[in-house]
Amino acid sequence: MNYLIVHGGGPTPVINASLYGLVTRLKKEDKDAHIYGALGGIEAIYNKRYIDFAKVNKFELENLLYTPASAIGSSRYPLYNEDYEKISKKLKEQHIDTIFLNGGNGTMNTCAKLAEYCKGYDINVIGIPKTMDNDIANIDHSPGFGSCGKFIASSVAEICVDVKSLPIHVCIVETMGRNAGWLAGASALAKSQFCNGPDLIYTPEHAFDEKSFLEKIRQLWSKKRGIVVVVSEGLVGLDKEPIVKPIFKSGRSVYYGDVSSYLAESVIKKLGIKARSEKPGLIGRSNISIRSDVDLKEAIIVGEKAATASLNNQTGVMVGIVRESVTDYKISYPIIPINPGMLAEKKMPIEFINEEGNGVTDAYLSWCRPIVDYSPYPYVSYNI
Protein backbone atom coordinates (compact mmCIF):
# COMPACT_ATOMS: atom_id res chain seq x y z
CA MET A 1 0.00 0.00 0.00
CA ASN A 2 1.04 3.57 -0.61
CA TYR A 3 0.20 6.24 1.98
CA LEU A 4 0.66 10.01 1.87
CA ILE A 5 0.60 12.45 4.79
CA VAL A 6 0.14 16.19 4.22
CA HIS A 7 0.45 19.01 6.76
CA GLY A 8 -1.72 22.09 6.32
CA GLY A 9 -1.84 25.50 8.02
CA GLY A 10 0.18 26.71 10.98
CA PRO A 11 2.33 24.10 12.76
CA THR A 12 2.05 23.27 16.46
CA PRO A 13 4.47 21.93 19.08
CA VAL A 14 3.02 18.42 18.60
CA ILE A 15 2.23 18.12 14.88
CA ASN A 16 5.32 15.94 14.43
CA ALA A 17 4.08 13.71 17.24
CA SER A 18 0.99 12.89 15.17
CA LEU A 19 3.28 12.21 12.22
CA TYR A 20 5.30 9.88 14.44
CA GLY A 21 2.19 8.04 15.65
CA LEU A 22 0.90 7.60 12.11
CA VAL A 23 4.19 6.43 10.61
CA THR A 24 5.14 4.02 13.39
CA ARG A 25 1.70 2.36 13.36
CA LEU A 26 1.71 1.97 9.57
CA LYS A 27 5.27 0.60 9.57
CA LYS A 28 4.31 -1.93 12.19
CA GLU A 29 1.10 -3.12 10.50
CA ASP A 30 2.09 -2.84 6.82
CA LYS A 31 5.76 -3.71 6.50
CA ASP A 32 5.86 -3.41 2.70
CA ALA A 33 4.19 0.00 2.62
CA HIS A 34 5.48 3.25 1.21
CA ILE A 35 4.65 6.04 3.67
CA TYR A 36 5.20 9.33 1.93
CA GLY A 37 5.35 12.77 3.50
CA ALA A 38 4.49 15.74 1.28
CA LEU A 39 7.34 18.25 1.52
CA GLY A 40 5.92 21.74 1.91
CA GLY A 41 2.19 21.12 1.99
CA ILE A 42 -0.46 19.91 -0.41
CA GLU A 43 1.07 21.55 -3.49
CA ALA A 44 3.90 18.99 -3.25
CA ILE A 45 1.47 16.50 -4.82
CA TYR A 46 1.77 18.21 -8.20
CA ASN A 47 5.48 17.43 -8.55
CA LYS A 48 5.69 14.49 -6.13
CA ARG A 49 8.05 16.16 -3.67
CA TYR A 50 7.90 13.38 -1.09
CA ILE A 51 10.01 11.68 1.54
CA ASP A 52 9.37 7.98 2.14
CA PHE A 53 9.22 7.35 5.88
CA ALA A 54 9.41 3.62 5.26
CA LYS A 55 13.10 4.27 4.60
CA VAL A 56 13.70 6.60 7.55
CA ASN A 57 15.64 5.03 10.43
CA LYS A 58 14.29 4.61 13.96
CA PHE A 59 16.59 7.28 15.45
CA GLU A 60 15.27 9.90 13.04
CA LEU A 61 11.67 8.87 13.65
CA GLU A 62 12.12 9.13 17.42
CA ASN A 63 13.55 12.61 17.03
CA LEU A 64 10.30 13.75 15.43
CA LEU A 65 8.96 13.84 19.00
CA TYR A 66 11.54 16.50 19.92
CA THR A 67 11.30 18.60 16.78
CA PRO A 68 9.27 21.84 16.78
CA ALA A 69 7.14 23.06 13.85
CA SER A 70 6.54 20.68 10.92
CA ALA A 71 9.37 18.37 9.92
CA ILE A 72 7.90 17.94 6.43
CA GLY A 73 6.70 21.51 6.04
CA SER A 74 3.23 22.96 5.73
CA SER A 75 1.46 25.61 3.65
CA ARG A 76 -1.64 27.73 3.29
CA TYR A 77 -1.95 26.90 -0.40
CA PRO A 78 -5.48 27.81 -1.51
CA LEU A 79 -7.47 25.14 -3.36
CA TYR A 80 -10.24 25.82 -5.85
CA ASN A 81 -12.80 23.40 -7.23
CA GLU A 82 -10.66 22.50 -10.25
CA ASP A 83 -7.72 21.68 -7.96
CA TYR A 84 -9.55 18.85 -6.24
CA GLU A 85 -10.02 16.97 -9.49
CA LYS A 86 -6.39 17.58 -10.51
CA ILE A 87 -5.09 16.39 -7.14
CA SER A 88 -7.28 13.28 -7.22
CA LYS A 89 -5.92 12.37 -10.66
CA LYS A 90 -2.34 12.98 -9.50
CA LEU A 91 -2.83 10.74 -6.49
CA LYS A 92 -4.19 7.99 -8.72
CA GLU A 93 -1.25 8.34 -11.13
CA GLN A 94 1.11 8.07 -8.15
CA HIS A 95 -0.71 4.94 -6.91
CA ILE A 96 -1.58 6.53 -3.57
CA ASP A 97 -4.11 4.40 -1.68
CA THR A 98 -4.71 6.71 1.30
CA ILE A 99 -4.02 10.40 1.86
CA PHE A 100 -3.98 11.83 5.38
CA LEU A 101 -4.43 15.56 5.93
CA ASN A 102 -3.25 16.90 9.28
CA GLY A 103 -4.51 20.39 10.04
CA GLY A 104 -7.15 22.72 11.46
CA ASN A 105 -10.70 23.47 10.38
CA GLY A 106 -9.58 24.77 6.99
CA THR A 107 -7.64 21.59 6.34
CA MET A 108 -10.52 19.44 7.57
CA ASN A 109 -12.80 21.28 5.15
CA THR A 110 -10.31 20.51 2.37
CA CYS A 111 -10.22 16.90 3.56
CA ALA A 112 -14.01 16.61 3.29
CA LYS A 113 -14.09 18.05 -0.22
CA LEU A 114 -11.17 15.93 -1.43
CA ALA A 115 -12.85 12.80 -0.09
CA GLU A 116 -15.78 13.40 -2.45
CA TYR A 117 -13.51 13.71 -5.48
CA CYS A 118 -11.37 10.72 -4.50
CA LYS A 119 -14.34 8.36 -4.30
CA GLY A 120 -14.21 7.79 -8.03
CA TYR A 121 -10.52 6.94 -7.85
CA ASP A 122 -10.75 4.47 -4.96
CA ILE A 123 -8.51 6.61 -2.76
CA ASN A 124 -9.20 6.89 0.96
CA VAL A 125 -9.07 10.32 2.63
CA ILE A 126 -8.61 10.70 6.39
CA GLY A 127 -8.33 13.83 8.56
CA ILE A 128 -6.01 14.25 11.54
CA PRO A 129 -6.94 17.27 13.70
CA LYS A 130 -4.50 19.88 14.94
CA THR A 131 -4.62 23.56 15.74
CA MET A 132 -3.30 25.73 18.52
CA ASP A 133 -6.43 27.87 18.10
CA ASN A 134 -8.63 24.99 19.33
CA ASP A 135 -11.45 26.00 16.99
CA ILE A 136 -12.31 22.72 15.22
CA ALA A 137 -16.03 22.51 15.84
CA ASN A 138 -16.81 18.83 16.30
CA ILE A 139 -14.15 17.71 18.80
CA ASP A 140 -13.56 18.50 22.48
CA HIS A 141 -10.14 20.03 21.85
CA SER A 142 -7.37 20.01 19.28
CA PRO A 143 -3.82 18.65 19.52
CA GLY A 144 -1.50 21.64 19.75
CA PHE A 145 -3.75 23.73 21.96
CA GLY A 146 -2.57 22.15 25.22
CA SER A 147 1.10 22.90 24.60
CA CYS A 148 0.48 26.45 23.39
CA GLY A 149 -1.86 26.99 26.34
CA LYS A 150 0.89 25.82 28.67
CA PHE A 151 3.31 28.27 27.08
CA ILE A 152 0.85 31.11 27.61
CA ALA A 153 0.08 30.12 31.21
CA SER A 154 3.77 29.79 32.07
CA SER A 155 4.81 32.99 30.29
CA VAL A 156 2.02 35.06 31.82
CA ALA A 157 2.85 33.71 35.29
CA GLU A 158 6.45 34.84 34.85
CA ILE A 159 5.34 38.23 33.52
CA CYS A 160 3.05 38.66 36.54
CA VAL A 161 5.97 38.01 38.90
CA ASP A 162 8.14 40.45 36.96
CA VAL A 163 5.48 43.18 36.99
CA LYS A 164 4.94 42.68 40.71
CA SER A 165 8.66 43.13 41.37
CA LEU A 166 8.78 46.42 39.43
CA PRO A 167 5.20 47.68 39.57
CA ILE A 168 5.41 50.71 37.35
CA HIS A 169 3.24 49.92 34.34
CA VAL A 170 0.37 48.07 32.72
CA CYS A 171 1.60 45.09 30.70
CA ILE A 172 -0.70 43.90 27.92
CA VAL A 173 0.01 40.41 26.55
CA GLU A 174 -1.47 39.42 23.19
CA THR A 175 -2.14 35.78 22.31
CA MET A 176 -2.80 34.11 18.99
CA GLY A 177 -6.04 32.21 18.44
CA ARG A 178 -7.73 33.89 15.48
CA ASN A 179 -11.42 34.47 16.25
CA ALA A 180 -11.57 32.29 19.36
CA GLY A 181 -10.33 33.03 22.86
CA TRP A 182 -9.24 29.59 24.05
CA LEU A 183 -5.55 30.51 24.22
CA ALA A 184 -6.11 33.84 25.93
CA GLY A 185 -8.29 32.04 28.48
CA ALA A 186 -5.49 29.60 29.27
CA SER A 187 -3.54 32.49 30.82
CA ALA A 188 -5.90 32.26 33.81
CA LEU A 189 -4.04 29.09 34.83
CA ALA A 190 -1.15 31.38 35.80
CA LYS A 191 -3.02 32.24 38.99
CA SER A 192 -1.90 30.20 42.00
CA GLN A 193 -0.88 30.63 45.62
CA PHE A 194 2.49 31.79 44.27
CA CYS A 195 1.23 34.18 41.60
CA ASN A 196 -1.72 36.58 41.30
CA GLY A 197 -2.22 35.80 37.63
CA PRO A 198 -3.54 38.26 35.03
CA ASP A 199 -5.87 40.99 36.25
CA LEU A 200 -8.00 41.00 33.09
CA ILE A 201 -8.54 38.62 30.16
CA TYR A 202 -10.35 39.64 26.98
CA THR A 203 -11.49 37.21 24.27
CA PRO A 204 -13.19 37.72 20.87
CA GLU A 205 -16.40 36.04 22.02
CA HIS A 206 -17.36 39.09 24.08
CA ALA A 207 -17.58 42.50 22.38
CA PHE A 208 -14.73 44.73 23.57
CA ASP A 209 -15.66 48.15 24.93
CA GLU A 210 -12.55 50.31 25.02
CA LYS A 211 -14.10 52.90 27.36
CA SER A 212 -15.02 50.21 29.88
CA PHE A 213 -11.54 48.71 29.53
CA LEU A 214 -9.85 52.03 30.28
CA GLU A 215 -12.14 52.65 33.23
CA LYS A 216 -11.28 49.21 34.60
CA ILE A 217 -7.57 49.95 34.25
CA ARG A 218 -8.06 53.30 36.01
CA GLN A 219 -9.88 51.60 38.90
CA LEU A 220 -7.22 48.91 39.24
CA TRP A 221 -4.42 51.48 39.11
CA SER A 222 -5.99 53.39 42.00
CA LYS A 223 -5.64 50.27 44.14
CA LYS A 224 -2.38 48.70 42.94
CA ARG A 225 0.64 49.35 40.78
CA GLY A 226 1.58 46.81 38.16
CA ILE A 227 -1.26 45.37 36.09
CA VAL A 228 -1.24 42.44 33.66
CA VAL A 229 -3.86 42.16 30.93
CA VAL A 230 -4.20 39.32 28.41
CA VAL A 231 -5.97 39.96 25.10
CA SER A 232 -6.68 37.81 22.08
CA GLU A 233 -5.49 38.93 18.65
CA GLY A 234 -9.03 38.69 17.27
CA LEU A 235 -10.76 41.14 19.62
CA VAL A 236 -13.82 42.81 18.12
CA GLY A 237 -15.51 45.98 19.27
CA LEU A 238 -19.14 46.85 19.95
CA ASP A 239 -19.56 47.29 16.19
CA LYS A 240 -18.42 43.65 15.70
CA GLU A 241 -15.39 44.84 13.74
CA PRO A 242 -11.77 44.11 14.79
CA ILE A 243 -10.57 46.80 17.19
CA VAL A 244 -7.39 46.93 15.11
CA LYS A 245 -7.75 46.41 11.39
CA PRO A 246 -5.83 43.33 10.11
CA ILE A 247 -2.72 44.35 8.21
CA PHE A 248 -3.06 41.54 5.66
CA LYS A 249 -5.86 39.25 4.61
CA SER A 250 -6.04 36.69 1.82
CA GLY A 251 -8.89 34.21 2.06
CA ARG A 252 -8.70 32.67 5.53
CA SER A 253 -5.10 33.81 5.98
CA VAL A 254 -5.10 36.83 8.29
CA TYR A 255 -2.23 38.82 9.76
CA TYR A 256 -3.83 40.59 12.68
CA GLY A 257 -2.90 44.10 13.72
CA ASP A 258 -1.06 44.66 16.99
CA VAL A 259 -3.94 44.69 19.46
CA SER A 260 -1.65 44.78 22.51
CA SER A 261 0.37 47.68 21.11
CA TYR A 262 -2.78 49.62 20.28
CA LEU A 263 -4.21 49.13 23.78
CA ALA A 264 -0.93 49.95 25.51
CA GLU A 265 -0.74 53.19 23.54
CA SER A 266 -4.36 53.95 24.47
CA VAL A 267 -3.58 53.49 28.17
CA ILE A 268 -0.60 55.82 27.90
CA LYS A 269 -2.38 58.55 25.97
CA LYS A 270 -5.77 58.47 27.67
CA LEU A 271 -4.84 57.57 31.24
CA GLY A 272 -1.28 58.85 31.51
CA ILE A 273 -0.12 55.48 32.86
CA LYS A 274 3.01 53.72 31.68
CA ALA A 275 2.12 50.68 29.57
CA ARG A 276 3.90 48.15 27.41
CA SER A 277 2.87 45.37 25.07
CA GLU A 278 4.08 41.81 24.68
CA LYS A 279 3.24 39.65 21.66
CA PRO A 280 4.82 36.18 21.83
CA GLY A 281 3.64 35.29 18.30
CA LEU A 282 5.39 32.36 16.63
CA ILE A 283 7.47 31.56 19.71
CA GLY A 284 4.23 30.44 21.35
CA ARG A 285 3.61 27.72 18.80
CA SER A 286 7.23 26.68 18.18
CA ASN A 287 8.29 26.32 21.81
CA ILE A 288 8.54 22.67 22.87
CA SER A 289 10.68 23.09 25.99
CA ILE A 290 7.55 23.43 28.15
CA ARG A 291 5.24 21.32 26.03
CA SER A 292 2.21 19.67 27.62
CA ASP A 293 2.83 15.95 28.20
CA VAL A 294 -0.90 15.31 27.83
CA ASP A 295 -0.94 17.12 24.50
CA LEU A 296 2.07 15.15 23.29
CA LYS A 297 0.51 11.82 24.23
CA GLU A 298 -2.82 12.68 22.60
CA ALA A 299 -1.14 13.90 19.41
CA ILE A 300 0.63 10.55 19.03
CA ILE A 301 -2.64 8.71 19.60
CA VAL A 302 -4.58 10.62 16.93
CA GLY A 303 -1.83 9.71 14.44
CA GLU A 304 -2.12 6.06 15.44
CA LYS A 305 -5.92 6.14 15.21
CA ALA A 306 -5.74 7.64 11.72
CA ALA A 307 -3.45 4.81 10.64
CA THR A 308 -5.91 2.26 12.05
CA ALA A 309 -8.78 3.91 10.17
CA SER A 310 -6.83 3.53 6.93
CA LEU A 311 -5.96 -0.08 7.65
CA ASN A 312 -9.71 -0.64 8.15
CA ASN A 313 -10.31 0.87 4.68
CA GLN A 314 -12.24 3.88 6.01
CA THR A 315 -12.55 7.12 4.07
CA GLY A 316 -14.24 10.51 4.41
CA VAL A 317 -13.53 10.43 8.13
CA MET A 318 -11.39 12.13 10.74
CA VAL A 319 -10.13 11.21 14.18
CA GLY A 320 -12.49 12.56 16.83
CA ILE A 321 -11.56 13.61 20.36
CA VAL A 322 -14.32 13.12 22.92
CA ARG A 323 -14.15 13.86 26.65
CA GLU A 324 -15.86 11.00 28.42
CA SER A 325 -15.77 12.61 31.85
CA VAL A 326 -15.33 16.12 33.24
CA THR A 327 -14.41 15.15 36.80
CA ASP A 328 -12.05 12.31 35.84
CA TYR A 329 -10.22 13.32 32.67
CA LYS A 330 -10.71 10.57 30.13
CA ILE A 331 -10.59 10.88 26.35
CA SER A 332 -11.80 8.59 23.57
CA TYR A 333 -10.90 8.81 19.90
CA PRO A 334 -13.82 7.72 17.70
CA ILE A 335 -13.52 7.80 13.94
CA ILE A 336 -16.18 10.28 12.86
CA PRO A 337 -17.57 11.41 9.49
CA ILE A 338 -16.07 14.53 8.02
CA ASN A 339 -18.25 16.75 5.89
CA PRO A 340 -18.13 19.99 3.90
CA GLY A 341 -18.74 23.02 6.08
CA MET A 342 -15.92 22.22 8.50
CA LEU A 343 -14.82 25.88 8.30
CA ALA A 344 -17.21 26.68 11.15
CA GLU A 345 -15.15 27.88 14.09
CA LYS A 346 -15.69 26.59 17.61
CA LYS A 347 -15.68 29.53 19.98
CA MET A 348 -15.68 29.61 23.75
CA PRO A 349 -19.21 29.06 25.10
CA ILE A 350 -20.81 31.76 27.21
CA GLU A 351 -20.48 29.71 30.39
CA PHE A 352 -16.68 29.87 30.05
CA ILE A 353 -16.57 33.70 30.12
CA ASN A 354 -17.42 35.85 33.14
CA GLU A 355 -20.34 38.30 33.04
CA GLU A 356 -18.15 41.36 32.57
CA GLY A 357 -16.36 39.76 29.64
CA ASN A 358 -12.93 40.34 31.19
CA GLY A 359 -12.11 36.93 32.59
CA VAL A 360 -12.92 33.24 32.50
CA THR A 361 -15.02 31.08 34.80
CA ASP A 362 -14.21 28.09 36.96
CA ALA A 363 -16.00 25.95 34.37
CA TYR A 364 -13.42 26.95 31.77
CA LEU A 365 -10.54 26.26 34.14
CA SER A 366 -11.92 22.79 34.90
CA TRP A 367 -12.18 22.09 31.18
CA CYS A 368 -8.77 23.53 30.34
CA ARG A 369 -6.53 22.44 33.22
CA PRO A 370 -6.00 18.74 32.36
CA ILE A 371 -5.20 19.48 28.69
CA VAL A 372 -2.71 22.25 29.38
CA ASP A 373 -1.08 20.22 32.15
CA TYR A 374 0.49 23.28 33.80
CA SER A 375 1.88 23.05 37.32
CA PRO A 376 2.61 26.43 38.96
CA TYR A 377 6.18 26.91 40.09
CA PRO A 378 6.53 27.88 43.79
CA TYR A 379 7.80 31.41 43.18
CA VAL A 380 9.19 33.32 46.14
CA SER A 381 7.83 36.86 46.28
CA TYR A 382 7.76 39.18 49.29
CA ASN A 383 5.39 42.09 49.76
CA ILE A 384 7.03 45.17 48.31
Side-chain angles (χ1 to χ4, degrees):
M1 299 289 281
N2 296 317
Y3 307 94
L4 175 65
I5 172 69
V6 179
H7 285 171
T12 76
V14 296
I15 191 171
N16 291 324
S18 292
L19 176 61
Y20 169 86
L22 175 73
V23 170
T24 52
R25 175 61 60 85
L26 289 175
K27 289 186 75 168
K28 179 181 178 181
E29 302 296 336
D30 191 350
K31 299 187 183 301
D32 296 322
H34 290 285
I35 309 165
Y36 299 112
L39 297 174
I42 199 162
E43 59 266 45
I45 293 171
Y46 287 116
N47 53 14
K48 201 177 180 180
R49 291 190 64 248
Y50 301 158
I51 179 175
D52 190 351
F53 282 101
K55 300 177 182 178
V56 171
N57 62 51
K58 183 178 179 181
F59 175 79
E60 202 166 302
L61 285 178
E62 292 292 331
N63 278 341
L64 286 173
L65 297 175
Y66 307 99
T67 302
S70 168
I72 59 175
S74 184
S75 75
R76 298 191 188 277
Y77 186 76
L79 294 181
Y80 304 96
N81 288 336
E82 59 269 23
D83 291 309
Y84 290 100
E85 182 65 30
K86 291 177 183 177
I87 287 173
S88 300
K89 287 181 178 179
K90 281 287 185 181
L91 293 174
K92 190 64 178 179
E93 291 170 5
Q94 296 165 12
H95 306 289
I96 300 298
D97 298 292
T98 299
I99 178 172
F100 304 90
L101 290 93
N102 189 185
N105 47 16
T107 301
M108 293 304 100
N109 190 63
T110 295
C111 190
K113 290 182 178 179
L114 186 60
E116 290 299 313
Y117 282 86
C118 282
K119 280 181 180 178
Y121 295 94
D122 197 26
I123 299 169
N124 292 341
V125 181
I126 296 171
I128 305 173
K130 72 87 193 151
T131 172
M132 64 180 291
D133 302 331
N134 195 48
D135 59 356
I136 299 178
N138 56 348
I139 58 178
D140 179 77
H141 60 277
S142 304
F145 165 72
S147 292
C148 292
K150 186 172 184 177
F151 173 85
I152 291 298
S154 176
S155 298
V156 169
E158 291 167 355
I159 288 172
C160 288
V161 174
D162 184 285
V163 169
K164 182 182 178 182
S165 70
L166 184 61
I168 60 173
H169 53 238
V170 175
C171 181
I172 301 177
V173 184
E174 180 178 341
T175 70
M176 299 176 84
R178 295 177 61 89
N179 301 311
W182 302 98
L183 270 179
S187 67
L189 295 173
K191 184 176 181 178
S192 70
Q193 66 185 95
F194 311 108
C195 173
N196 291 332
D199 297 282
L200 301 166
I201 302 171
Y202 292 95
T203 70
E205 289 82 0
H206 193 282
F208 183 80
D209 184 339
E210 187 173 335
K211 289 184 179 180
S212 295
F213 161 74
L214 291 171
E215 176 59 22
K216 192 69 177 178
I217 295 296
R218 188 191 64 77
Q219 292 174 5
L220 285 169
W221 194 256
S222 68
K223 300 174 183 177
K224 59 179 288 189
R225 292 293 187 271
I227 296 169
V228 177
V229 181
V230 177
V231 300
S232 177
E233 65 182 358
L235 283 190
V236 294
L238 299 175
D239 59 358
K240 299 185 179 180
E241 293 295 322
I243 67 168
V244 178
K245 188 176 181 179
I247 58 176
F248 174 81
K249 189 171 184 180
S250 177
R252 295 188 68 252
S253 180
V254 180
Y255 287 5
Y256 291 88
D258 286 337
V259 172
S260 56
S261 179
Y262 167 79
L263 292 177
E265 187 175 336
S266 183
V267 168
I268 294 169
K269 289 182 175 180
K270 296 177 181 179
L271 297 180
I273 299 172
K274 288 184 179 181
R276 62 181 298 138
S277 63
E278 302 288 343
K279 188 176 181 179
L282 296 186
I283 193 172
R285 76 180 189 201
S286 62
N287 189 297
I288 63 170
S289 60
I290 52 173
R291 185 170 50 185
S292 163
D293 289 340
V294 172
D295 194 28
L296 178 64
K297 175 184 175 182
E298 293 180 350
I300 295 171
I301 292 174
V302 296
E304 294 172 342
K305 295 294 183 181
T308 300
S310 176
L311 294 167
N312 290 335
N313 200 35
Q314 293 180 272
T315 189
V317 297
M318 65 177 286
V319 181
I321 299 175
V322 175
R323 190 178 304 220
E324 301 289 349
S325 171
V326 175
T327 54
D328 180 23
Y329 186 71
K330 184 180 179 182
I331 297 297
S332 62
Y333 305 89
I335 302 302
I336 59 178
I338 190 168
N339 49 68
M342 291 290 296
L343 284 173
E345 295 172 313
K346 180 184 72 175
K347 297 190 176 185
M348 290 177 67
I350 191 169
E351 61 268 23
F352 282 179
I353 303 170
N354 68 7
E355 289 186 12
E356 292 184 84
N358 59 17
V360 297
T361 63
D362 289 340
Y364 172 80
L365 294 175
S366 296
W367 174 88
C368 182
R369 188 170 281 113
I371 308 166
V372 172
D373 190 32
Y374 170 68
S375 297
Y377 196 82
Y379 302 121
V380 176
S381 181
Y382 301 104
N383 291 327
I384 297 172

